Amino acid sequence: MIEFINKLKRKNSLKSRFLSKLISNFIGTPIRVIIASLVPRALGMELYGTFNFLTESILGMINFLDFGLSSAFYTKLSMKDAKQSLIRFYWIIFLLTISLFLVFVSLLFIFDFRDLIWFDHKLSYILLAIVWAFLYRFHEIINKVIDAYSLTIQSEIAISLKNLISLALVYLLFIYDKLNLWTFFMLQYFFFLFTIVLWWRILNKNGVRLLPSEKIPPDRLKKYITSFYEFSMPLFIASGPSFILLFLDRWILQKYAGSVGQGIFSLSFKV
């Protein structure tokens, strides 16, 4: 098996990358099914629904505020003549997106509109979900960089390792009755950070800097802004109604069926 993986890494062709994704999904799918069967039993359907409602609604807001720029980033980074300064440029966009989201959330708290969006969920759970969404987005950006530089095979090995460790940890917490909403959030943080560190090492080993120090020349910066705007604006216009509908799906379900209904709805997508 190890020799087969080494052959895939040496070839690094499109076929090899596709095969590595296939093998990773073959390993990951039953693991995800097992975890999806353990977590709701441990948390209870109400807390499981709380986790999914908060994380999905917050992540949806951040994705909407991204304005489709992440798609532009991946597309342009995949081009042969892409510069590493493009990564630096997108980190600026990411920080602006997060800042815009934090301003929006702060206004919700200041004007006491929190319950309008997240009902009566505890503040601690909302904050945990916000951190979860930030880590998820950060994780996804690095995943895009990995794929853009055709490092998919090494990436999928890291993902498979993470999946095996996640199964072991979730099962241990489950059998010792230590799996609750707090520990589940902590596990999620650990899985994100573990994968990020492995991907970071893979990129460094292949000469790709995630935090390039080179400054972006003014002419190139102007070019980036123009091209990203032209690429993303149609996506933003098209994604607006989609975001509203998806958000209202969750919001209406939460309002009329509560967290238990939310949990059942979420579980149906995992199975």
Side-chain angles (χ1 to χ4, degrees):
M1 184 65 178
I2 295 174
E3 184 180 349
F4 176 70
I5 292 172
N6 287 332
K7 284 182 180 180
L8 286 179
K9 289 169 70 175
R10 285 195 297 269
K11 289 182 179 180
N12 199 33
S13 62
L14 180 61
K15 181 180 178 181
S16 298
R17 295 198 296 273
F18 174 78
L19 189 58
S20 69
K21 287 267 188 188
L22 192 64
I23 294 172
S24 178
N25 284 331
F26 181 77
I27 296 172
T29 298
I31 290 176
R32 286 190 291 270
V33 170
I34 294 171
I35 291 175
S37 67
L38 295 177
V39 172
R41 291 174 63 187
L43 299 184
M45 203 54 70
E46 183 175 357
L47 286 179
Y48 184 69
T50 295
F51 172 83
N52 281 279
F53 173 67
L54 293 177
T55 55
E56 290 293 332
S57 61
I58 291 169
L59 184 61
M61 292 176 189
I62 295 174
N63 288 340
F64 176 71
L65 294 174
D66 177 71
F67 302 129
L69 294 169
S70 58
S71 297
F73 170 64
Y74 176 68
T75 301
K76 296 182 182 302
L77 190 63
S78 300
M79 296 178 180
K80 289 184 179 180
D81 59 344
K83 308 288 185 183
Q84 287 204 21
S85 58
L86 185 63
I87 300 176
R88 182 184 178 94
F89 175 72
Y90 188 73
W91 283 128
I92 297 172
I93 293 175
F94 176 71
L95 290 175
L96 289 173
T97 302
I98 295 302
S99 299
L100 189 59
F101 172 77
L102 289 175
V103 169
F104 172 72
V105 172
S106 299
L107 291 174
L108 287 178
F109 281 91
I110 290 170
F111 293 103
D112 201 23
F113 289 146
R114 188 186 85 190
D115 291 349
L116 180 64
I117 303 295
W118 295 304
F119 301 96
D120 57 348
H121 289 301
K122 292 181 180 178
L123 175 61
S124 59
Y125 292 162
I126 296 173
L127 295 177
L128 286 170
I130 289 174
V131 175
W132 181 94
F134 288 174
L135 285 173
Y136 181 90
R137 285 290 299 168
F138 188 70
H139 171 274
E140 286 298 292
I141 293 168
I142 300 176
N143 193 15
K144 288 180 184 294
V145 175
I146 284 272
D147 283 341
Y149 280 94
S150 301
L151 299 171
T152 308
I153 296 173
Q154 297 172 62
S155 168
E156 293 302 322
I157 293 172
I159 291 173
S160 295
L161 178 61
K162 184 267 296 183
N163 285 335
L164 291 170
I165 293 174
S166 65
L167 176 61
L169 290 177
V170 169
Y171 182 71
L172 283 173
L173 288 173
F174 178 80
I175 61 175
Y176 286 107
D177 198 26
K178 299 293 183 182
L179 189 57
N180 52 50
L181 190 53
W182 171 261
T183 56
F184 187 59
F185 267 115
M186 294 303 109
L187 274 179
Q188 293 283 305
Y189 296 168
F190 170 75
F191 299 151
F192 285 141
L193 292 171
F194 179 78
T195 311
I196 287 168
V197 169
L198 290 182
W199 284 346
W200 199 305
R201 288 171 59 87
I202 291 169
L203 289 168
N204 281 339
K205 187 177 178 181
N206 287 273
V208 181
R209 290 174 296 170
L210 266 179
L211 300 173
S213 57
E214 62 176 296
K215 293 184 178 179
I216 307 174
D219 58 331
R220 191 183 299 167
L221 179 61
K222 183 179 179 181
K223 180 181 177 182
Y224 285 161
I225 293 172
T226 302
S227 61
F228 269 61
Y229 173 81
E230 292 175 349
F231 186 100
S232 302
M233 187 49 61
L235 294 177
F236 170 65
I237 294 171
S239 66
S242 175
F243 161 74
I244 293 171
L245 290 174
L246 289 173
F247 181 81
L248 285 177
D249 271 350
R250 289 280 184 175
W251 189 87
I252 292 171
L253 182 63
Q254 184 69 32
K255 183 174 178 63
Y256 293 103
S259 293
V260 174
Q262 194 78 237
I264 296 170
F265 178 77
S266 300
L267 184 60
S268 67
F269 280 94
K270 305 287 185 183
V271 178

